[in-house]
Amino acid sequence: MINHSLYLRLVHPRPRLLQTIAMGALSALSVISGIVPAEMAQAQPSTTDLEQYKNIAVQIEQQRMQDYAEVKRLMGGTVPESVCQRGDIPPKVREICDRFEKNSRDIIQANGMSVPKFNEITRYCQQSPKPRDCPR
């Protein structure tokens, strides 16, 4: 059964690298977070954690861009927003969405960070105004 609460936003790459990295990180968060308790603390991450987070986000963004290109090809050049939340996507696109979720989780863990820690830093970086030490 497909969990429609999972979300992979495959968007066209933006010209600003850090903005793109941030979008990829947010995409990964949406895919792998599921339901997150609101009461989790959003303490400021250490400089080391933020550097590790940025490196992971770059890797996830590279994967997202590859997957986006593949989905775009499969869908004839037009990728709807929130494509992976849709129930009417081709099976091959569903496979790509599922693969992106797995690969994102693997990238995070292979780089020595837990998924909950990655999600915690993502939530920290989603604050408004955005903390200065987060990717732009």
Side-chain angles (χ1 to χ4, degrees), residues 85-98:
Q85 283 187 327
R86 299 174 61 111
D88 61 344
I89 59 176
K92 280 290 208 186
V93 173
R94 172 61 47 213
E95 287 175 25
I96 294 167
C97 293
D98 294 344

Side-chain angles (χ1 to χ4, degrees), residues 34-52:
I35 297 172
V36 179
E39 61 272 2
M40 289 186 72
Q42 289 189 8
Q44 182 172 351
S46 71
T47 303
T48 302
D49 284 344
L50 281 166
E51 284 303 314
Q52 185 180 25

Side-chain angles (χ1 to χ4, degrees), residues 52-65:
Q52 185 180 25
Y53 174 83
K54 290 173 189 176
N55 291 333
I56 292 168
V58 167
Q59 293 175 50
I60 290 172
E61 177 60 14
Q62 290 170 343
Q63 182 64 54
R64 187 200 63 80
M65 290 172 60

Side-chain angles (χ1 to χ4, degrees), residues 99-134:
R99 181 182 70 208
F100 179 81
E101 176 187 356
K102 180 191 178 316
N103 288 345
S104 296
R105 184 179 303 275
D106 291 347
I107 289 168
I108 292 166
Q109 292 172 340
N111 281 277
M113 185 176 279
S114 70
V115 172
K117 181 71 169 182
F118 182 87
N119 291 340
E120 178 183 327
I121 296 171
T122 300
R123 284 189 301 278
Y124 169 77
C125 289
Q126 286 178 319
Q127 295 179 70
S128 182
K130 186 176 193 136
R132 299 182 68 122
D133 50 356
C134 290

